[in-house]
Amino acid sequence: MKLGTVISVAGPLVIAKGMNTAKIYDMVTVSDKHLIGEIIEMRGDRASIQVYEETSMLGPGEPVYGEGEPLSVELGPGLLESIFDGIQRPLNIIMEKSGDFINRGVQVKSLDREKIWNFVPCQKVGDRVFHGDIIGTVQENTIVQHKIMIPKGISGIIKKISEGKYTLEETVAVVEEEDGTEVNVTMLQKWPVRRGRPFHKKKMPEKPLVSGQRVIDTFFPVAKGGTACVPGPFGSGKTVVQHQIAKWADVDIVVYVGCGERGNEMTDVLNEFPELIDPKTGQSLMKRTVLIANTSNMPVAAREASIYTGIAVAEYYRDMGYSVALMADSSSRWAEALREMSGRLEEMPGEEGYPAYLGSRLAEFYERSGEVICLGQDKRIGTLTVMAAVSPPGGDLSEPVTQATLRIVKVFWGLDSGLAYARHFPAINWLTSYSLYSSSLMRWMDENVDKDYSRCQGEALALLQEESRLNDIVRLVGYDSLSPEDQLKLEISKSLREDFLQQNAFVEEDSYTPLNKQFRMLQTILKFYTLSRQALHDGIYLKDILNLSVREKLGRIKEIPEETMEQFEELQETMVQEINNLIQERGNKG
Amino acid sequence: MIKEYRTISEIVGPLMVVDKVENVCYDEMVEVRTQSGEIRQGRVLEINEDSAVVQLFERADGILMEKSSVRFLEKPQVLGVSLDMLGRIYDGMGKPIDEGPKVLPEKYMDINGVVINPVARDYPSEFIQTGISSIDGLNTMVRGQKLPVFSASGLPHKELAAQIARQAKVKGSEGNFAVVFAAIGITFEEAEYFIQDFRNTGALQRTVMFVNLADDPAIERLSTPRMALTMAEYLAFEKDMHVLVIMTDITNYCEALREVGAARREVPGRRGYPGYMYTDLANLYERAGKIKGRKGTITQIPVLTMPEDDKTHPIPDLTGYITEGQIILNRDLYRKKIWPPVDVLPSLSRLKDKGIGEGKTREDHADTMNQLFSAYAQGKKARELSAILGESSLSDTDKLYAKFADEFERKYIAQGFEINRSIEETLDIGWELLSMFPKSELKRIKEKYLKKYLPDSSNKQSLEEHPAKKEV
């Protein structure tokens, strides 16, 4: 339907007149090239439209069309294993249509309309259903069962439902509402991306999201349903941290949003994920992943939309009762897109040119995470964990995006360029990072992994804190002025850093560490500390302790395979043995 | 019939406003004919009902507003491309400036390029041997990568860029190699250095040069890299060539961008640079890469000078966020005559992991690389400490590391601009340096590689010789 006419074009911002029938935040298509856009401002009959595609060679006089619907995502079977652009157009279909390069105005459906799915009902005729109830399932792929839910605003009695093969748009069930109208339910739903999907009730998140990354799980854990951010200067390994979590997190579904980042990074994910095996299901990791890629050279307005597209998809799977992780890399690029549009609208700028509403938009986004009791009579529980990278200019954390983010998120993994230069990866700084979930999750660890978990974690963190203090002293007066006890502390913290915290994402055996192995590693290092401290107390020289051959084994503690956990016991016994020998020798001499 | 307008109403800096226009599009090419018949080019930046804001690519002086006319060409800015352009030199707008014959273009391409679909991309993984140890060994470059050089005033980035262009090769694949060179606002002498170097090594026949010198119009610099990249795309994706694009100096490009932003009275971002600079730079850098099913590749080496040697300045900062790593030059190393003065610790190649190892370089590459990095980092720390407290206060281990740092700079990094080392030579030098340490310090290297590659000398040095193994 034609709404109005273009009168002005400047980059991604188009102004059209005669738009009195349009609403703000409606989706429109501009010109006969059908460029997709969204109305972001209305003044009289003039609408400012942000266009999600390149506007080169667009001029006044061109028509604007619209259906009066807000920017929405399509939800239904077929989302998994796909790669979409920022406004949910499947990139592989675009490639089929327009080749290796993305041309403008390619019109594609988000989800495949032809594909046939096998629908298995779990409700029967005569059942009373409400918004959010699961009426049946579809095996989306070998690991994920897609649950078909009653869309918003529908409730009543099922008149017709049957197992069979359907396409997305075919009716799988008929529901009779109270006033007698019959509603056809299909497997396809639409949802406006900027509005959070409803749920019954939010809960306090209390279970950890296990990522297999030692510094994260043991020191700064994030809860399922929580929020975390990873700020760091370029080259400090933000993307690798995000990729690692996307790979190994113990969740059912991962939505990965590449927002304004490099094209090759998305290619990397596309190449790597299908080949990686999920330790939980034994199947390819890609089967649980939805990718949204709006690389830095793709239109900037679509970058702004991409994180909303991502979170709407994530919420949809949460509503099925799954645990979902959303990774956004990077939220700074999203904020820059916001700034660019705000600048073109000539809004009054806030800090560093960012719009004044930056903070509230960010808060709105992160607050869509959580552990919730979903709608529906079965009161199922779903979680959505949001983890976003932040790319502060010059690594300066005082800039507006980082500051606005820190006010909201509960976990902060601060990346440090100094660590990255020394190739200490993941370069998460243990002195500045924090997790507000730490105390509750450590309780969970104590109950579920080992009762000593929190004690070991506390001791290790304290040692590392102490190390930084001792290093200050060393810098002033030299190493030799330290007492042997303090020198030992430095050695043990070095071991903690090198043998526990450092983790190589590119080495198969080291890329993922299960919780019980993490604990064993930590426990073994600390046991050596306890034994050595005791030995020092008994008058053994530090250098004798440091020369023990068991230290070399301790240095290769990462290489102990998860299958042979008894090796940790053996290692600990060797330690006791060797230290006892030292004490005995000394006893003999004395 | 293209209409001519005589309705220029405003000329401010590089911007011109033309009124009462019809059917004008955003991004359309514009030709201005001055009263004396001279043709200047421009582009529509903004169109507001019947008035168009035009950005001039050339100087604005001598345009008499009443008597000059404007034509809108109904097409975006294009470059005529052809294989015959190899070996030729063009100005920043794509006009030939050598004395060569006229080239008949095979086709015209939009200089803004089109976005490569991420699904169509092929992940770069072919190792490029540059013959420079600090790059090959520690910050390995691969075909299809964009790896900038972060330099600063007075540092030898042109020598390094020329050395890479001269020595770069991929094991077991020769030929079909081309260089596209974009000089963006650099001095005559610098441009001449490259031309001479390419000429001397015979590389000129395989090179297309786009030269915008420091005294050419600043605003033209916004087009120069786009011209070069369009040429590169043509050579790589239509003619199956492996193209190395060198663009120097990106800092001049960004300044031109700022100039236009300021003339349009945009709300500035950091340090007066426009807020969209990230997107703008990404549109250049992301044009590097490799596409599935096509033989050619585009590898980019943008060179930029960091104002005040400051890596956090918006230009290097935004670049670092887009490119796949960076090679950073360091003034202290340069003063110590460690040439090329590559500061390996903050330098990085993000794509190295897929380009090294067995079958690409050598199986021990990754492990030794990590070990060299951490040993050098520790060595530098020890050196700093000894500068404060005196050498005697260092522990024996620290002394060893400090010595390693010196040796490493002297033997590994300082190879000069003429030496071309094979990757095996580079790796062997690495092992020789690492043999200074007792085995227990070489934690990052797998046992089997230690056995196979570590030179014997190390076995003599055991922990006993360093009894007080301690460190900070």
Side-chain angles (χ1 to χ4, degrees), chain A residues 304-333:
Chain A
E304 196 266 325
S306 66
I307 67 165
Y308 294 108
T309 303
I311 202 155
V313 170
E315 282 176 332
Y316 175 63
Y317 280 99
R318 174 205 67 192
D319 289 347
M320 293 179 203
Y322 287 124
S323 58
V324 184
L326 176 100
M327 326 290 305
D329 186 11
S330 133
S331 57
S332 297
R333 304 296 161 233

Side-chain angles (χ1 to χ4, degrees), chain B residues 345-357:
Chain B
L345 294 183
S347 296
L348 170 74
S349 162
R350 290 166 191 271
L351 302 183
K352 62 175 185 296
D353 298 294
K354 300 274 158 73
I356 62 176

Side-chain angles (χ1 to χ4, degrees), chain A residues 461-508:
Chain A
L461 268 177
L463 264 172
L464 289 167
Q465 299 270 358
E466 183 76 6
E467 182 195 29
S468 114
R469 191 184 67 87
L470 290 173
N471 273 337
D472 287 342
I473 299 178
V474 170
R475 236 166 269 139
L476 287 175
V477 290
Y479 183 81
D480 288 334
S481 59
L482 292 184
S483 68
E485 280 78 15
D486 284 344
Q487 293 182 355
L488 177 69
K489 276 182 192 162
L490 284 182
E491 286 296 333
I492 300 295
S493 354
K494 182 185 171 201
S495 172
L496 280 174
R497 279 188 284 117
E498 293 183 354
D499 306 327
F500 184 75
L501 293 178
Q502 273 178 24
Q503 188 169 2
N504 193 335
F506 302 101
V507 172
E508 207 180 318

Side-chain angles (χ1 to χ4, degrees), chain B residues 152-213:
Chain B
S153 319
L155 292 183
H157 45 268
K158 67 174 191 296
E159 284 83 357
L160 182 70
Q163 189 180 15
I164 295 174
R166 196 165 60 229
Q167 300 180 350
K169 65 166 190 182
V170 172
K171 263 191 186 172
S173 91
E174 313 297 324
N176 251 1
F177 179 71
V179 176
V180 174
F181 181 84
I184 309 165
I186 60 175
T187 59
F188 167 78
E189 283 163 43
E190 215 168 315
E192 200 58 22
Y193 173 86
F194 281 103
I195 297 177
Q196 286 309 331
D197 196 83
F198 289 161
R199 192 166 278 147
N200 294 342
T201 53
L204 198 61
Q205 289 97 305
R206 294 182 289 122
T207 304
V208 188
M209 299 187 94
F210 293 88
V211 181
N212 167 285
L213 293 182

Side-chain angles (χ1 to χ4, degrees), chain A residues 436-454:
Chain A
L436 298 183
Y437 300 114
S438 202
S439 54
S440 68
L441 291 181
M442 278 305 131
R443 218 168 319 146
W444 188 93
M445 302 281 192
D446 285 349
E447 282 158 20
N448 292 282
V449 186
D450 194 290
K451 60 179 182 0
D452 255 1
Y453 209 113
S454 59

Side-chain angles (χ1 to χ4, degrees), chain A residues 8-297:
Chain A
S8 152
V9 185
L13 180 71
V14 167
I15 298 175
K17 66 173 181 188
M19 301 284 286
N20 8 27
T21 56
K23 303 187 293 292
I24 192 152
Y25 296 121
D26 272 1
M27 198 162 111
V28 293
T29 58
V30 177
S31 95
D32 291 320
K33 296 183 186 103
H34 292 286
L35 310 182
I36 298 171
E38 187 183 3
I39 298 175
I40 50 173
E41 221 178 62
M42 293 289 302
R43 285 171 205 269
D45 73 333
R46 297 192 167 194
S48 303
I49 303 164
Q50 71 172 351
V51 178
Y52 293 129
E53 293 177 80
E54 177 59 50
T55 52
S56 172
M57 296 309 287
L58 198 70
E62 306 224 35
V64 175
Y65 305 96
E67 301 301 331
E69 277 182 13
L71 181 68
S72 305
V73 280
E74 289 190 352
L75 302 168
L79 285 165
L80 291 173
E81 294 174 70
S82 301
I83 174 165
F84 298 105
D85 75 354
I87 43 173
Q88 215 206 4
R89 295 182 303 177
L91 285 168
N92 47 345
I93 309 291
I94 292 186
M95 189 172 144
E96 277 167 29
K97 280 203 167 179
S98 83
D100 295 341
F101 301 93
I102 301 179
N103 291 323
R104 288 192 290 171
V106 189
Q107 283 181 303
V108 288
K109 295 275 189 225
S110 300
L111 293 173
D112 190 347
R113 298 294 202 272
E114 316 282 300
K115 189 158 177 179
I116 289 167
W117 301 95
N118 192 20
F119 173 78
V120 183
C122 60
Q123 306 267 11
K124 52 190 190 304
V125 175
D127 283 351
R128 176 170 283 277
V129 288
F130 297 94
H131 168 202
D133 276 343
I134 296 169
I135 53 165
T137 58
V138 163
Q139 200 64 38
E140 190 166 353
N141 59 31
T142 44
I143 60 166
V144 176
Q145 206 179 42
H146 194 108
K147 296 173 180 155
I148 306 298
M149 294 169 285
I150 295 282
K152 194 184 172 195
I154 299 175
S155 66
I157 293 176
I158 297 181
K159 291 296 271 187
K160 219 160 78 182
I161 189 165
S162 64
E163 186 173 344
K165 298 194 182 309
Y166 300 94
T167 63
L168 280 184
E169 287 171 313
E170 283 170 338
T171 305
V172 294
V174 179
V175 174
E176 189 188 65
E177 294 204 297
E178 243 148 65
D179 58 1
T181 49
E182 288 192 347
V183 187
N184 296 337
V185 177
T186 67
M187 293 190 282
L188 182 72
Q189 295 192 23
K190 279 196 166 191
W191 190 263
V193 293
R194 295 187 196 276
R195 204 174 308 149
R197 282 176 63 87
F199 47 81
H200 179 66
K201 207 173 166 188
K202 231 178 207 180
K203 292 177 64 190
M204 284 299 279
E206 50 201 12
K207 279 201 197 104
L209 181 136
V210 180
S211 65
Q213 310 305 302
R214 294 188 288 266
V215 60
I216 292 177
D217 293 352
T218 300
F219 281 5
F220 309 107
V222 60
K224 276 188 184 144
T227 49
C229 73
V230 201
F234 62 82
S236 54
K238 277 186 301 297
T239 302
V240 178
V241 169
Q242 292 252 321
H243 281 194
Q244 284 299 94
I245 299 174
K247 279 177 198 163
W248 305 122
D250 65 335
V251 292
D252 302 311
I253 306 288
V254 171
V255 179
Y256 193 96
V257 186
C259 173
E261 289 287 311
R262 305 173 183 90
N264 277 331
E265 269 166 16
M266 291 321 289
T267 314
D268 190 24
V269 173
L270 276 177
N271 288 347
E272 207 174 345
F273 277 36
E275 281 166 26
L276 288 170
I277 301 299
D278 183 351
K280 230 172 35 163
T281 61
Q283 300 228 24
S284 148
L285 276 175
M286 196 62 202
K287 294 211 157 138
R288 64 169 200 186
T289 310
V290 183
L291 293 176
I292 291 166
N294 204 87
T295 56
S296 55
N297 55 343

